[in-house]
Amino acid sequence: MNVLLGSVVILILSGLFSLALGKSYSRSTAFGAGGTVLACAIGLYPAVTCLLSGRILSVHCPWNLPFGSFYVEADPLSALFLLPILVVSALSAIYGSRYMEAEKDTGAIGPHWFFFNLLVAGMIMVVLSKNGLLFLISWEVMSLAPFFLVIFDDHKKSTRNAAWTYLVAAHLGGVFLVVLFVLMGINAGTMDFCHFVTSSSVISANISANLLFLLAVIGFGAKAGFIPLHVWLPEAHPAAPSHVSALMSGVMIKMGIYGLLRMITLLGPPPVWWGYLMIGIGLTSGILGVLFALAQHDLKRLLAYHSVENIGIIALGIGVGLVGLSTGSTLLAVLGFAGGLLHVINHSLFKGLLFLGAGSVLHSTHTMEIDHLGGLMKKMPWTGALFLTGAVAICGLPPLNGFVSEFLIYFGSFKGMTTMTSSVPAGALICAIAGLAMIGGLASACFTKAFGIIFLGEPRSEHAENVHESSRIMWIPMLVMAALCVLIGLSGPWVVAAMALAVKTAGSFPSHVVEDMLTRALDPMTLIVYIAFAFLLLTVLILIVRKLLLPFNKISRICTWGCGFSAPSPRMQYTSSSFAQPLTKIFSVFLMTRTKVIAPEGLFPTEASFSTDTPDIFRRFFYKPVFSLVARLLSFLQWLQHGRVQLYILYIVVTVFIIFIWKLV
């Protein structure tokens, strides 16, 4: 544990040094990014050891804060979430050391790395904290730091709005978490998690356990991005620097998943409706997330909605696991939790890879508008190939890692469905299987659109004309993430077996039961992995043979039939809207896409245009009206804001005096 706490200290100190040396880009970056890499490298060994051996690392000592103690502990569940924090943070820092070079004259690099390191330190402390007050403090640090990272490019109004949207969403969720921990602390008489466990038998027998679960779903779901609590994701991720987007989307939102799982372990045996609720949240977030992604024109906004989709898949796995726990189907419970937990790791890798790939495109073209790009594969082969790897992984296709975690959820749901004696749980599992299949199909269509229009074809604008490959420092972290996606995909059975202790902790299973249930899923998975590996080798062999034979063939270029056009232009290619239109039209009732058409008029029309816009329906029809109403109501209190410091001090003194009198009475 001392090593992990040492990593946190290194992160904070290196961030402070970077802040102090902010005027020097090279030294500030060396301390900021270098400190992140060093701290994460040091923390990897105890995290891996804890995950594989099940050894509990703990420090518990009192402090002077009310209801608090410095109680930190790493168990296999904490260790599993530590792995993506440490790996993705280090790789994102390496990438950012070159990505932020364009901002070296702004003087903002020092603060950037300070808040970057503070975010990483906050996430580590969140998964280690075993005291409610310490957890909330760590959660607040983790929630505040991204605000300053998102608002980095603050001269843009859209960036400022995105940062404030994130901050409001984070603290609205935080309110529910404060209520959650206060209620659990009152019930247990202490804020230490170990006493929450001993009190679970008390709260599980009445409605308070259900209330606590709902508070956890809302509070942690706001951070995770469950629909309809997701509205900050498509705003904040496009505004933040790309390596920050990779860290927030790949890792930070998983802290919501960690918090929810940790609370589930403390609330006692779950009723079956908890599982139904999580399956419903998973299906809603997964399907609507990928549908909104299909309709986007901005690449980073598209990826943000895919984060909502993949959080939905994780929630689906947790829901399947909860249904298994409540109905006594151990196989269903183990495979559901295993699939959800493995998808936490997988999503952190391929989503981090995709955001870094998007940053590479932005760094070279200075735009994220998909319809302004095209033909980048010819000049950015590394970025294109690595982005394609992430795209295949996120679609859940073998032999990459996304397939392995989704297979566990599929397999567990199918096995549970066939053994259920009650029709309601079986129906929920059928919905989970059908929904997961639908999500996978729509994701494949979306990334076919994204990769095809960005990297294939011809340049659609001057942004895509004079591009260049990113520097080696930027694409090496992408290469590492892509290699891990392939490695986990090809070694899926062994990776799943290594997670057994984390699955045991998440579901409170006996160790031998987890190993036995995972073994039942590993046999068919091993066969699929071998087939995928053979197919991959065959593909590589064909490419090698082609490369060897190609020099002996005479290659000639001729014009193909152009359908009557002698000189086709880039405007004749598919756009992102036209490619996705058949699918978005089917689901138009959910998307409510707005179109703007200027039709050609006359024999020789001079102007014609067609554009589409798909704003988030939850933001458009719920949050915006509600917050507008709140703003109008609060405007009646503007008379209290005189701008005079003396009156503000008087308000504070009067409030304290009233509280003092109330306590005396």
Side-chain angles (χ1 to χ4, degrees):
M1 177 54 69
N2 290 334
V3 176
L4 290 171
L5 294 178
S7 296
V8 175
V9 172
I10 292 172
L11 285 165
I12 295 174
L13 290 179
S14 61
L16 289 172
F17 277 116
S18 181
L19 185 63
L21 300 170
K23 293 183 178 180
S24 171
Y25 171 79
S26 57
R27 285 186 291 177
S28 179
T29 301
F31 273 102
T36 303
V37 174
L38 175 62
C40 293
I42 290 174
L44 267 177
Y45 176 76
V48 172
T49 302
C50 179
L51 177 64
L52 297 179
S53 68
R55 179 188 174 193
I56 305 298
L57 309 174
S58 178
V59 171
H60 193 180
C61 54
W63 60 2
N64 293 327
L65 289 177
F67 309 109
S69 64
F70 189 77
Y71 183 14
V72 291
E73 183 178 276
D75 60 11
L77 183 61
S78 302
L80 184 137
F81 280 85
L82 275 173
L83 291 181
I85 294 174
L86 299 174
V87 172
V88 177
S89 297
L91 295 174
S92 297
I94 296 171
Y95 180 97
S97 66
R98 179 54 61 89
Y99 182 84
M100 298 299 292
E101 197 171 29
E103 309 293 336
K104 63 182 178 182
D105 297 328
T106 63
I109 297 301
H112 169 81
W113 286 115
F114 170 73
F115 288 111
F116 186 92
N117 287 14
L118 201 62
L119 171 59
V120 179
M123 290 191 293
I124 293 174
M125 287 303 299
V126 163
V127 299
L128 294 181
S129 297
K130 293 299 182 291
N131 173 272
L133 185 59
L134 180 61
F135 184 96
L136 289 174
I137 293 172
S138 304
W139 188 269
E140 185 67 10
V141 170
M142 181 192 69
S143 298
L144 281 175
F147 169 78
F148 297 98
L149 294 170
V150 171
I151 208 170
F152 180 83
D153 195 9
D154 61 349
H155 68 279
K156 296 180 181 178
K157 183 179 179 180
S158 60
T159 299
R160 297 194 298 271
N161 290 339
W164 285 111
T165 299
Y166 162 76
L167 194 65
V168 170
H171 284 86
L172 284 177
V175 170
F176 287 88
L177 295 184
V178 170
V179 176
L180 167 68
F181 282 103
V182 167
L183 291 178
M184 295 189 75
I186 291 173
N187 185 78
T190 177
M191 295 290 278
D192 289 346
F193 287 6
C194 58
H195 296 288
F196 288 173
V197 175
T198 60
S199 64
S200 63
S201 60
V202 177
I203 62 175
S204 63
N206 53 55
I207 194 171
S208 61
N210 295 329
L211 173 62
L212 294 175
F213 176 72
L214 290 176
L215 289 171
V217 169
I218 298 172
F220 291 118
K223 180 68 69 179
F226 293 159
I227 283 180
L229 307 172
H230 69 291
V231 290
W232 65 270
L233 274 86
E235 303 298 324
H237 290 335
S242 296
H243 61 293
V244 175
S245 299
L247 187 59
M248 291 175 64
S249 180
V251 181
M252 188 192 74
I253 62 175
K254 308 303 191 321
M255 298 302 99
I257 299 298
Y258 169 79
L260 181 58
L261 281 171
R262 182 61 70 184
M263 289 304 106
I264 288 173
T265 65
L266 303 177
L267 294 179
V272 70
W273 72 265
W274 291 11
Y276 297 155
L277 177 63
M278 292 305 298
I279 289 176
I281 290 173
L283 291 175
T284 304
S285 299
I287 295 173
L288 290 182
V290 72
L291 283 176
F292 277 107
L294 261 171
Q296 300 308 309
H297 306 292
D298 183 281
L299 177 57
K300 290 179 73 174
R301 194 175 179 86
L302 178 149
L303 294 177
Y305 274 112
H306 273 289
S307 293
V308 178
E309 170 225 329
N310 280 272
I311 284 294
I313 294 175
I314 295 170
L316 199 62
I318 295 173
V320 168
L322 288 173
V323 170
L325 279 180
S326 58
T327 58
S329 176
T330 309
L331 176 63
L332 177 62
V334 168
L335 294 183
F337 282 120
L341 287 173
L342 182 55
H343 207 73
V344 167
I345 296 176
N346 290 340
H347 178 254
S348 68
L349 293 173
F350 57 63
K351 183 49 66 69
L353 169 59
L354 289 168
F355 264 114
L356 296 186
S360 182
V361 172
L362 177 61
H363 188 263
S364 183
T365 64
H366 307 290
T367 183
M368 282 284 91
E369 284 292 324
I370 297 175
D371 289 331
H372 292 174
L373 301 172
L376 299 188
M377 193 71 179
K378 299 172 185 176
K379 297 182 180 179
M380 303 179 69
W382 279 104
T383 298
L386 295 172
F387 189 92
L388 178 61
T389 303
V392 174
I394 200 173
C395 294
L397 300 175
L400 300 183
N401 58 343
F403 164 78
V404 181
S405 49
E406 292 188 24
F407 173 81
L408 289 173
I409 301 174
Y410 272 123
F411 188 76
S413 299
F414 180 78
K415 285 292 186 181
M417 177 191 67
T418 56
T419 57
M420 284 291 173
T421 56
S422 175
S423 60
V424 178
L429 297 178
I430 292 173
C431 291
I433 294 171
L436 191 55
M438 185 176 181
I439 292 169
L442 292 172
S444 299
C446 187
F447 277 96
T448 300
K449 176 193 86 169
F451 179 80
I453 293 182
I454 293 172
F455 291 98
L456 304 181
E458 297 296 327
R460 291 169 169 79
S461 72
E462 60 182 13
H463 292 286
E465 288 283 356
N466 301 313
V467 299
H468 57 84
E469 183 59 271
S470 299
S471 67
R472 188 173 300 176
I473 294 178
M474 289 176 64
W475 60 254
I476 283 181
M478 297 163 58
L479 182 62
V480 173
M481 289 184 179
L484 289 174
C485 289
V486 176
L487 180 63
I488 293 176
L490 294 178
S491 59
W494 299 276
V495 173
V496 173
M499 292 172 45
L501 293 176
V503 175
K504 168 187 175 295
T505 306
S508 302
F509 304 108
S511 297
H512 69 279
V513 171
V514 175
E515 295 172 0
D516 180 56
M517 297 303 166
L518 287 179
T519 301
R520 299 189 188 186
L522 295 184
D523 290 339
M525 185 191 299
T526 303
L527 177 61
I528 296 173
V529 166
Y530 285 158
I531 294 173
F533 185 69
F535 178 77
L536 185 63
L537 287 179
L538 180 62
T539 303
V540 172
L541 180 62
I542 291 173
L543 291 175
I544 293 174
V545 172
R546 177 182 179 274
K547 188 173 182 62
L548 293 174
L549 295 178
L550 201 59
F552 300 101
N553 294 335
K554 183 179 179 181
I555 301 175
S556 59
R557 296 181 180 272
I558 59 173
C559 294
T560 58
W561 180 51
C563 303
F565 294 96
S566 58
S569 71
R571 287 176 58 86
M572 297 176 184
Q573 302 175 99
Y574 272 108
T575 63
S576 61
S577 298
S578 60
F579 184 93
Q581 191 268 345
L583 287 172
T584 56
K585 185 177 180 180
I586 294 173
F587 298 99
S588 58
V589 65
F590 301 109
L591 298 175
M592 298 185 182
T593 300
R594 298 183 297 201
T595 60
K596 183 179 179 181
V597 181
I598 299 178
E601 296 180 356
L603 295 176
F604 301 99
T606 58
E607 184 181 14
S609 66
F610 176 85
S611 62
T612 62
D613 178 37
T614 308
D616 194 293
I617 57 173
F618 297 96
R619 182 184 178 93
R620 179 181 173 188
F621 295 113
F622 178 72
Y623 289 103
K624 191 172 182 179
V626 168
F627 278 91
S628 297
L629 176 62
V630 171
R632 287 196 297 271
L633 293 176
L634 293 178
S635 65
F636 293 108
L637 299 176
Q638 284 185 345
W639 60 273
L640 291 171
Q641 293 179 299
H642 303 279
R644 299 175 184 175
V645 177
Q646 300 94 324
L647 287 176
Y648 296 155
I649 295 174
L650 178 62
Y651 296 158
I652 296 172
V653 172
V654 170
T655 303
V656 172
F657 181 75
I658 292 173
I659 294 173
F660 181 73
I661 296 298
W662 174 68
K663 290 296 292 183
L664 287 179
V665 174

